[in-house]
Amino acid sequence: MKVIIIGGVAGGASAAARLRRISEETEIIMIERGDYISFANCGLPYHIGGVIKERDNLLVQTVKGMKERFNIDVRVKTEAIKIDTEKKVVILKNLETSEEYEESYDKLLLSPGASPIKPPIKGINDVDNVYTLRNMNDMDDIIEGLKTREAKRAVVIGAGFIGVEVAENLKHKGLKVSIIEKANQILTPMDFDIAAQLHLHLKEQEVELYLNNGVTEFRKNGDKTTVVLENGDFIDTDIVILSIGVRPEVKLVKEANLEIGETGGIKVNEYMQTSNKDIYAVGDAIEVNCFVSNKKILVPLAWPANRQGRLVADNMLGLKQNKYIATMGTAIAKVFDMTAASTGLNEKTLKRYGIKYRTLIVNKNDHAGYYPGSTPIVLKLVYNEETGTIYGAQGIGYNGVDKRIDVIATAMKGGIKAWDLQDLELAYAPPFNSAKDPINFFGYIAENIKNGELKHIEWHELKDLDPDKSVLLDIRTKEENMLGTIPGSIHIDLNELRKNLDKLNKEKEYIVYCAIGVRGFLAYRILVQNGFKARNLNGGYKFWYPTTVEQSNIGIFKNDGTSTGIDNYITENDGGMHVAHAEDAKSIEVDACGLQCPGPIMKTFKTIEELKDGDILSIKATDPGFKKDVVAWANKTGNRLLEVTSSKGIITAKIQKNTPKVENTTNAPAKTLDGQTIVVFSGDLDKVLASFIIANGAIAMGKKVSMFFTFWGLTALKKDGVKVKKSGLAKMFDIMLPKHVGKLPISKMNMGGMGAEMIKLVMKKNNVDSVETLMKQFLDNGGKIIACQMSMDLMGIKEEELIDGVEIGGVATYLGDSENANSNLFI
């Protein structure tokens, strides 16, 4: 028998090796258009980033190795240009010599793969630094482009698995990276609520993220390319990577009149046969059955292609008929420090198919919390509440995500029901797991729901609650509640709930929540057993919160490619250092994770006070503002900031205590304080106007002026015409507060806005500049405006709503400026 295989990599190469292992007599010819027959295409981004050092390590099998080990006739740089199904011949073209010739076959295997989509965006053919990534040559081109352009800025268009991996590796090489994604999330196999937590992680890594956005045009700009976005923004970049998806390579198949399926992929039966009984197909180019829905889908992943390649070899030789039933689409990706994985179908796909489902959220640690190094895992299970059939699962975390998703994929294959997951006996020891694995918890929760012992409510249903009928009840501790709560909630500590039942109304439903849902379940049971109506928030506060914040991360880079991040702020303060001898110095670690501004700074201050000169404090925090605030604090207090790092969502600052030397100042000149700081608390037009008049006057006198806008004062910084989707209390604030500085009221005799208009008219007649003009003058002359991060969070004000030139900071940033001020004003 003579078999021709068109295309190598996973499916084709696996089939060729299997064919030879079971038949020494079969003549096997492999045709590959490129230079390599089998390479690790999933590893391409990691060689670009330098993580995989050796290029040759990506070559799974070479032409020489395939010929010598498997006695296969391998022809690279050869393209199949036509299939004659009647004569059973393939017309081949040698791409080096342009020679065309025929090759007959008894069986033909098609493994052409899928090609990257390159959309007809205006100007795409006029620029020479837009790349796609499919094969080794593409990888080489990107590496050469980065080198010759001395690239510092990159734009990745598309946030699928490959796009995110490319973005990470370009960042690893030191580039400033922006991701542009048309959807409202990255990694569309995930649901939005899981992806939202990855968005926060990308922000921590200082990757610029444009969601709900697309590219309208590419413009050549010298050696750079200007990427024009749908929202009107533009980015000047050294390199662009297109990663917006792939489509099956079916041109040859169509011309041979083989049947194409409803998805656009090659139609095959369960034995991998095309509409021609002697022609088979595998890999990214074929459509397959979905394991859950049984609908036709395209799944460009390595495992299905390898599995199909092995099965089809047996089928072509007629030894046995192996069926390829369906594909689950199990996938995993590294997203900087985090892992994201999924199997089966997600919520949005089930909704599209009209399949009824329920979700379960488990937020646990990857191993026992009392053993050092445990990190959180968030897992989501999608299943049929009535039958227990598992439809899919998603997970993110730092460790152990792969194991849990693999367990779910295996359970799905074995037909295990959701409530039976509690019976899985999984390996346990403190460094590796907890006695009850997170997977077991899915089983417990599913059984509780099945038995009527638990009712859930989902995070996205909160916005539709009727406040006259439902009450949000936060049963966390007082300290947790102070650090953030769902707007409109009442608070009763779980430990105090039984004592306060007489204060609750049995005519209303109570939506209880804790951090992750466990204590919420206990509160739910207390309430329902005492005659109250209740539901528990699925996943708790920690799962709800990431879905409510701004998902994009726009504007963190200046257009010259420099970062506005921490690297621009760190300076070492060595003056007057009192360094203790090594044997006297000590190091202390403090955990301030979970505290919001100014909590981490206050904890830093209190701890440093207790140390001796030369001692080193290592403090960890999760408040994003701490990264910048600790720099300002160290510079102003004289303590030496050794480093600030961010890993796995935790910011770690190392500070060496330094008490500045007290010099004999009897005859020394007094220190000149040339600064002016102003706290703008009011949102009244007249008071904001006075603030900027004073501020501009101070600048005119040579002072360095810093204005700190907090609470109602923030409304003066809002742009006109910016619309941001909000919910809950943030939406209420948005309705009640002035839309922008032009709508500010005056503090006295406002008269429904008439007073404000009158004062503007008087100002114009007397040649007094408007507030907008005064603000612009202030910024143009070097003035500094700081918007209080904490107040923004409390009032639901987003960074993109603010005027250009505003810095986001905390109390420590403001106080650092006030150290050099000879007066501080509160308006």
XYZ file of all heavy atoms in Angstrom, residues 677-758:
612
model
N 0.637 72.694 48.882
C -0.293 71.588 48.686
C -1.700 72.041 49.029
O -1.910 72.801 49.963
C 0.096 70.376 49.545
O 0.347 70.802 50.878
C 1.334 69.697 49.002
N -2.636 71.539 48.238
C -4.038 71.913 48.407
C -4.882 70.644 48.325
O -4.785 69.890 47.350
C -4.504 72.898 47.316
C -3.623 74.152 47.313
C -5.970 73.268 47.500
C -3.917 75.089 46.142
N -5.679 70.392 49.338
C -6.643 69.300 49.315
C -7.983 69.880 48.861
O -8.529 70.771 49.505
C -6.800 68.641 50.696
C -7.872 67.547 50.646
C -5.487 68.066 51.175
N -8.498 69.367 47.735
C -9.786 69.845 47.221
C -10.833 68.785 47.537
O -10.934 67.758 46.858
C -9.726 70.125 45.711
C -11.059 70.704 45.228
C -8.583 71.086 45.393
N -11.600 69.029 48.594
C -12.637 68.107 49.051
C -13.996 68.467 48.455
O -14.845 67.623 48.248
C -12.706 68.152 50.581
C -13.733 67.235 51.181
C -13.433 65.910 51.437
C -15.001 67.695 51.497
C -14.369 65.058 51.988
C -15.956 66.858 52.060
C -15.636 65.518 52.309
N -14.185 69.741 48.159
C -15.478 70.239 47.704
C -15.668 70.049 46.206
O -14.712 70.101 45.427
C -15.611 71.723 48.041
O -16.776 72.278 47.465
N -16.929 69.843 45.823
C -17.287 69.786 44.408
C -18.093 70.980 43.976
O -18.785 70.941 42.957
N -18.010 72.069 44.723
C -18.717 73.306 44.382
C -17.879 74.142 43.420
O -16.665 74.284 43.604
C -19.021 74.127 45.635
C -19.989 73.419 46.561
O -20.854 72.679 46.049
O -19.868 73.584 47.786
N -18.529 74.699 42.423
C -17.837 75.471 41.386
C -17.006 76.598 41.981
O -15.841 76.788 41.611
C -18.853 76.026 40.386
C -18.300 76.983 39.321
C -17.287 76.286 38.441
C -19.439 77.557 38.483
N -17.596 77.378 42.887
C -16.880 78.539 43.421
C -15.649 78.131 44.212
O -14.606 78.786 44.168
C -17.811 79.403 44.270
C -18.686 78.592 45.217
O -18.896 77.392 44.960
O -19.176 79.156 46.211
N -15.738 77.001 44.942
C -14.600 76.557 45.743
C -13.510 75.942 44.869
O -12.313 76.128 45.123
C -15.075 75.573 46.804
C -15.998 76.214 47.837
C -16.511 75.212 48.853
C -17.479 75.895 49.832
N -18.037 74.937 50.810
N -13.925 75.214 43.834
C -12.937 74.666 42.888
C -12.241 75.804 42.153
O -11.019 75.781 41.934
C -13.609 73.687 41.899
C -12.624 73.247 40.819
C -14.160 72.476 42.634
N -13.028 76.811 41.770
C -12.467 77.984 41.095
C -11.425 78.659 41.980
O -10.309 78.990 41.531
C -13.596 78.958 40.749
C -13.204 80.287 40.093
C -12.604 80.048 38.721
C -14.419 81.202 39.990
N -11.771 78.860 43.259
C -10.824 79.486 44.182
C -9.561 78.660 44.324
O -8.445 79.192 44.401
C -11.493 79.672 45.553
N -9.718 77.343 44.341
C -8.565 76.449 44.472
C -7.569 76.662 43.341
O -6.355 76.765 43.553
C -9.027 74.988 44.489
O -9.904 74.738 45.556
N -8.076 76.738 42.108
C -7.182 76.872 40.957
C -6.628 78.289 40.831
O -5.519 78.476 40.316
C -7.892 76.431 39.674
C -7.864 74.948 39.472
C -8.971 74.170 39.726
C -6.698 74.320 39.044
C -8.945 72.806 39.562
C -6.652 72.948 38.861
C -7.776 72.180 39.134
N -7.385 79.273 41.282
C -6.835 80.639 41.288
C -5.635 80.696 42.227
O -4.565 81.238 41.900
C -7.917 81.658 41.688
C -8.966 81.784 40.573
C -7.298 83.022 41.983
C -10.162 82.633 40.941
N -5.795 80.128 43.429
C -4.690 80.094 44.400
C -3.528 79.275 43.855
O -2.356 79.670 43.950
C -5.174 79.503 45.741
C -6.215 80.431 46.378
C -4.002 79.271 46.681
C -6.928 79.811 47.563
N -3.847 78.117 43.258
C -2.806 77.221 42.752
C -1.987 77.884 41.650
O -0.749 77.815 41.640
C -3.440 75.925 42.244
N -2.672 78.542 40.705
C -1.949 79.204 39.620
C -1.138 80.390 40.136
O -0.039 80.680 39.644
C -2.935 79.667 38.546
C -3.353 78.533 37.630
O -2.570 77.638 37.358
N -4.594 78.553 37.171
N -1.677 81.068 41.155
C -0.914 82.152 41.759
C 0.346 81.649 42.417
O 1.416 82.279 42.334
N 0.255 80.488 43.096
C 1.426 79.908 43.760
C 2.487 79.501 42.745
O 3.687 79.690 42.963
C 0.993 78.710 44.606
N 2.048 78.949 41.611
C 2.998 78.592 40.552
C 3.696 79.836 40.019
O 4.907 79.843 39.769
C 2.281 77.828 39.417
C 1.974 76.395 39.862
C 3.122 77.808 38.145
C 1.328 75.539 38.802
N 2.907 80.914 39.859
C 3.480 82.169 39.359
C 4.552 82.706 40.299
O 5.471 83.406 39.871
C 2.371 83.192 39.167
N 4.451 82.341 41.600
C 5.443 82.788 42.582
C 6.614 81.810 42.693
O 7.451 81.941 43.579
C 4.773 82.948 43.946
C 3.717 84.065 43.988
S 2.860 84.123 45.568
C 4.218 84.592 46.655
N 6.655 80.842 41.781
C 7.782 79.919 41.765
C 7.617 78.706 42.655
O 8.580 77.951 42.868
N 6.429 78.476 43.179
C 6.211 77.327 44.049
C 5.908 76.074 43.231
O 5.372 76.146 42.124
C 5.039 77.594 45.011
C 5.316 78.643 46.082
C 4.081 78.849 46.951
C 4.360 79.811 48.101
N 5.203 79.187 49.126
N 6.241 74.927 43.818
C 5.828 73.643 43.262
C 4.495 73.287 43.911
O 4.423 73.115 45.120
C 6.866 72.564 43.546
C 8.200 72.802 42.874
C 9.209 71.714 43.235
C 10.550 71.980 42.573
N 11.569 70.956 42.958
N 3.455 73.164 43.094
C 2.102 73.027 43.638
C 1.539 71.641 43.336
O 1.607 71.156 42.199
C 1.168 74.103 43.055
C -0.225 74.007 43.694
C 1.758 75.491 43.265
N 0.985 71.027 44.372
C 0.346 69.717 44.248
C -1.067 69.817 44.798
O -1.271 70.249 45.938
C 1.144 68.664 45.029
O 0.530 67.400 44.923
N -2.053 69.413 43.973
C -3.460 69.456 44.385
C -3.986 68.033 44.512
O -3.879 67.235 43.580
C -4.295 70.233 43.368
C -3.823 71.661 43.143
S -4.827 72.549 41.916
C -6.330 72.858 42.842
N -4.554 67.715 45.667
C -5.050 66.373 45.968
C -6.582 66.415 45.986
O -7.185 67.018 46.868
C -4.513 65.916 47.328
C -4.829 64.496 47.678
C -4.244 63.446 46.994
C -5.697 64.197 48.723
C -4.516 62.129 47.330
C -5.976 62.884 49.070
C -5.383 61.844 48.372
N -7.212 65.814 44.987
C -8.672 65.832 44.867
C -9.247 64.555 45.472
O -8.872 63.437 45.090
C -9.088 65.936 43.393
C -8.920 67.313 42.831
C -7.657 67.816 42.532
C -10.018 68.132 42.612
C -7.494 69.082 42.017
C -9.866 69.412 42.092
C -8.605 69.897 41.793
N -10.158 64.724 46.409
C -10.742 63.577 47.092
C -12.250 63.767 47.247
O -12.759 64.896 47.239
C -10.055 63.365 48.453
O -10.551 62.180 49.069
C -10.293 64.535 49.388
N -12.959 62.676 47.367
C -14.422 62.661 47.497
C -15.080 63.587 46.477
O -14.836 63.491 45.295
C -14.835 62.954 48.937
C -14.590 61.765 49.832
C -13.418 61.650 50.567
C -15.516 60.725 49.900
C -13.177 60.539 51.358
C -15.269 59.597 50.699
C -14.119 59.506 51.425
N -15.928 64.556 46.908
C -16.724 65.341 45.963
C -15.835 66.167 45.032
O -16.255 66.501 43.913
C -17.693 66.259 46.726
C -18.341 65.570 47.887
C -18.232 65.891 49.200
C -19.171 64.395 47.834
N -18.931 64.999 49.980
C -19.522 64.069 49.171
C -19.653 63.592 46.809
C -20.322 62.989 49.484
C -20.453 62.504 47.118
C -20.780 62.209 48.436
N -14.645 66.495 45.468
C -13.732 67.255 44.623
C -13.386 66.539 43.336
O -13.041 67.172 42.331
N -13.477 65.196 43.331
C -13.137 64.428 42.138
C -14.033 64.771 40.946
O -13.622 64.604 39.792
C -13.243 62.925 42.433
C -12.154 62.326 43.323
C -12.525 60.920 43.725
C -10.804 62.334 42.597
N -15.260 65.233 41.219
C -16.163 65.548 40.108
C -15.626 66.664 39.236
O -15.967 66.766 38.060
C -17.561 65.924 40.643
O -17.439 67.040 41.538
C -18.192 64.765 41.394
N -14.780 67.518 39.787
C -14.198 68.610 39.009
C -13.204 68.096 37.976
O -12.850 68.818 37.041
C -13.504 69.605 39.935
N -12.753 66.854 38.113
C -11.744 66.300 37.206
C -12.356 65.461 36.098
O -11.638 64.911 35.265
C -10.747 65.448 38.002
C -10.014 66.144 39.152
C -9.049 65.164 39.805
C -9.266 67.378 38.659
N -13.679 65.307 36.105
C -14.325 64.429 35.129
C -14.416 65.073 33.754
O -14.713 66.260 33.615
C -15.717 64.024 35.626
C -15.685 63.158 36.883
C -17.073 62.869 37.427
C -17.835 61.943 36.536
N -19.152 61.583 37.117
N -14.159 64.267 32.720
C -14.270 64.728 31.338
C -15.731 64.829 30.925
O -16.606 64.161 31.476
C -13.583 63.729 30.387
C -12.087 63.674 30.434
C -11.609 62.623 29.433
C -10.099 62.449 29.455
N -9.655 61.385 28.542
N -15.967 65.591 29.919
C -17.300 65.699 29.331
C -17.453 64.626 28.252
O -16.566 64.438 27.422
C -17.496 67.090 28.720
C -18.910 67.294 28.171
O -19.780 66.442 28.436
O -19.134 68.314 27.487
N -18.560 63.900 28.276
C -18.888 62.976 27.183
C -18.334 61.582 27.322
O -18.498 60.769 26.409
N -17.682 61.244 28.439
C -17.154 59.889 28.623
C -18.225 59.028 29.294
O -18.726 59.364 30.362
C -15.880 59.889 29.485
C -15.413 58.461 29.738
C -14.788 60.693 28.792
N -18.603 57.948 28.642
C -19.614 57.051 29.189
C -18.961 55.754 29.636
O -18.250 55.124 28.855
C -20.695 56.764 28.146
C -21.525 57.997 27.778
C -22.621 57.646 26.790
C -23.456 58.872 26.445
N -24.530 58.544 25.464
N -19.180 55.373 30.870
C -18.623 54.147 31.433
C -19.759 53.342 32.033
O -20.584 53.868 32.782
C -17.573 54.448 32.528
C -17.063 53.160 33.157
C -16.411 55.236 31.934
N -19.822 52.056 31.681
C -20.870 51.188 32.214
C -20.626 50.927 33.692
O -19.549 50.513 34.091
C -20.894 49.864 31.445
C -22.079 48.975 31.809
C -22.090 47.718 30.953
C -23.269 46.837 31.318
N -23.303 45.593 30.506
N -21.648 51.206 34.517
C -21.524 51.020 35.954
C -22.754 50.298 36.485
O -23.780 50.210 35.815
C -21.359 52.366 36.667
C -20.118 53.156 36.249
C -20.011 54.466 36.999
C -18.796 55.269 36.539
N -18.671 56.547 37.255
N -22.633 49.801 37.708
C -23.762 49.138 38.333
C -23.753 49.440 39.820
O -22.774 49.939 40.374
C -23.684 47.624 38.103
O -22.492 47.098 38.644
N -24.882 49.128 40.477
C -24.955 49.261 41.918
C -24.793 50.702 42.392
O -25.290 51.657 41.797
N -24.048 50.844 43.506
C -23.860 52.152 44.119
C -23.090 53.098 43.201
O -23.319 54.308 43.194
C -23.127 51.989 45.454
C -23.146 53.190 46.409
C -24.570 53.597 46.724
C -22.393 52.865 47.687
N -22.159 52.539 42.414
C -21.404 53.381 41.473
C -22.343 54.045 40.475
O -22.165 55.215 40.103
C -20.362 52.530 40.742
N -23.368 53.314 40.052
C -24.342 53.877 39.115
C -25.153 54.985 39.778
O -25.446 56.011 39.157
C -25.260 52.766 38.611
C -26.186 53.183 37.485
C -26.961 52.003 36.944
C -27.840 52.405 35.781
N -28.591 51.238 35.249
N -25.499 54.774 41.061
C -26.249 55.794 41.788
C -25.438 57.079 41.934
O -25.939 58.188 41.733
C -26.649 55.254 43.158
C -27.673 54.129 43.119
S -28.021 53.464 44.756
C -28.677 54.916 45.570
N -24.143 56.933 42.285
C -23.269 58.103 42.384
C -23.215 58.833 41.038
O -23.245 60.065 40.980
C -21.863 57.682 42.804
C -21.656 57.635 44.292
C -21.280 56.455 44.912
C -21.816 58.759 45.078
C -21.079 56.399 46.284
C -21.615 58.717 46.441
C -21.253 57.536 47.055
N -23.126 58.044 39.964
C -23.000 58.632 38.633
C -24.234 59.463 38.288
O -24.137 60.493 37.614
C -22.807 57.516 37.603
C -22.126 58.003 36.344
O -21.137 58.739 36.459
O -22.594 57.675 35.250
N -25.394 58.994 38.729
C -26.634 59.712 38.450
C -26.709 61.002 39.267
O -27.110 62.062 38.774
C -27.853 58.811 38.754
C -27.890 57.632 37.766
C -29.153 59.605 38.698
C -28.902 56.570 38.108
N -26.288 60.921 40.535
C -26.450 62.054 41.450
C -25.388 63.128 41.280
O -25.647 64.316 41.469
C -26.440 61.546 42.897
C -27.637 60.656 43.249
S -27.671 60.200 44.998
C -26.198 59.195 45.124
N -24.166 62.724 40.910
C -23.069 63.685 40.856
C -23.045 64.446 39.536
O -23.542 63.947 38.518
C -21.738 62.954 41.047
C -21.492 62.336 42.425
C -20.211 61.523 42.407
C -21.414 63.408 43.502
N -22.453 65.649 39.513
C -22.287 66.381 38.252
C -21.505 65.550 37.239
O -20.575 64.827 37.604
C -21.488 67.621 38.674
C -21.777 67.787 40.133
C -21.931 66.409 40.680
N -21.891 65.657 35.967
C -21.270 64.846 34.926
C -19.846 65.284 34.618
O -19.010 64.471 34.220
C -22.117 64.901 33.651
C -23.518 64.352 33.818
C -23.516 62.885 34.224
C -24.925 62.337 34.356
N -24.937 60.957 34.879
N -19.553 66.573 34.758
C -18.216 67.083 34.474
C -18.099 68.458 35.099
O -19.061 68.970 35.701
C -17.937 67.111 32.972
C -18.952 67.877 32.175
N -18.880 69.240 31.986
C -20.076 67.463 31.543
C -19.906 69.625 31.256
N -20.661 68.567 30.977
N -16.921 69.072 34.963
C -16.664 70.352 35.639
C -17.635 71.443 35.199
O -17.973 72.344 35.970
C -15.195 70.782 35.410
C -14.955 71.131 33.951
C -14.822 71.956 36.310
N -18.111 71.351 33.964
C -19.045 72.353 33.468
C -20.413 72.289 34.124
O -21.232 73.195 33.942
N -20.682 71.225 34.856
C -21.977 71.056 35.518
C -21.895 71.252 37.031
O -22.862 70.960 37.748
C -22.521 69.659 35.220
C -22.800 69.393 33.738
C -23.948 70.231 33.220
C -24.283 69.889 31.781
N -25.401 70.720 31.259
N -20.769 71.735 37.542
C -20.641 71.901 38.982
C -21.607 72.969 39.496
O -21.777 74.018 38.868
C -19.206 72.303 39.346
C -18.085 71.291 39.071
C -16.753 71.854 39.546
C -18.357 69.954 39.740
N -22.226 72.734 40.655
C -23.084 73.758 41.263
C -22.238 74.746 42.065
O -21.033 74.532 42.265
C -23.972 72.931 42.195
C -23.069 71.813 42.630
C -22.199 71.483 41.437
N -22.844 75.839 42.538
C -22.144 76.726 43.463
C -22.673 76.480 44.872
O -23.768 75.963 45.067
C -22.275 78.214 43.070
C -23.749 78.633 42.974
C -21.557 78.481 41.770
C -23.938 80.113 42.717
N -21.879 76.854 45.859
C -22.187 76.481 47.236
C -23.364 77.262 47.806
O -24.071 76.780 48.683
C -20.961 76.684 48.127
O -20.518 78.031 48.071
N -23.607 78.484 47.330
C -24.708 79.309 47.811
C -25.560 79.755 46.621
O -25.033 80.067 45.557
C -24.192 80.548 48.549
C -23.267 80.240 49.724
C -24.007 79.577 50.883
C -23.068 79.365 52.071
N -23.749 78.649 53.180
N -26.862 79.797 46.798
C -27.798 80.306 45.786
C -27.611 79.607 44.431
O -27.567 80.262 43.380
C -27.643 81.818 45.615
C -27.930 82.610 46.885
S -27.857 84.395 46.629
C -26.143 84.612 46.160
N -27.515 78.283 44.451
C -27.337 77.571 43.186
C -28.590 77.639 42.323
O -28.519 77.744 41.106
C -26.964 76.106 43.447
C -26.592 75.376 42.172
O -25.742 75.829 41.421
N -27.247 74.260 41.908
N -29.750 77.574 42.958
C -31.042 77.743 42.283
C -31.191 76.838 41.061
O -31.485 77.279 39.941
C -31.244 79.210 41.882
C -31.290 80.167 43.062
S -31.511 81.880 42.575
C -29.934 82.215 41.768
N -30.932 75.528 41.313
C -31.123 74.558 40.232
C -30.179 74.742 39.070
O -30.479 74.329 37.951
N -29.032 75.332 39.308
C -28.048 75.526 38.245
C -28.018 76.933 37.688
O -27.060 77.324 37.016
N -29.051 77.720 37.965
C -29.075 79.097 37.448
C -27.971 79.942 38.071
O -27.339 80.768 37.394
C -30.437 79.745 37.745
C -31.591 79.170 36.929
S -33.166 79.943 37.340
C -32.797 81.661 36.999
N -27.696 79.717 39.361
C -26.648 80.474 40.037
C -25.290 80.228 39.421
O -24.483 81.155 39.244
N -25.027 78.961 39.089
C -23.743 78.608 38.480
C -23.582 79.290 37.130
O -22.504 79.805 36.791
C -23.633 77.094 38.332
N -24.670 79.323 36.335
C -24.604 79.971 35.022
C -24.408 81.482 35.157
O -23.704 82.106 34.367
C -25.875 79.660 34.224
C -26.034 78.197 33.857
C -24.838 77.660 33.100
O -24.346 78.356 32.186
O -24.376 76.548 33.426
N -25.019 82.066 36.191
C -24.878 83.505 36.413
C -23.440 83.874 36.747
O -22.879 84.842 36.234
C -25.825 83.957 37.531
C -27.308 83.948 37.144
S -28.414 84.193 38.549
C -27.892 85.817 39.092
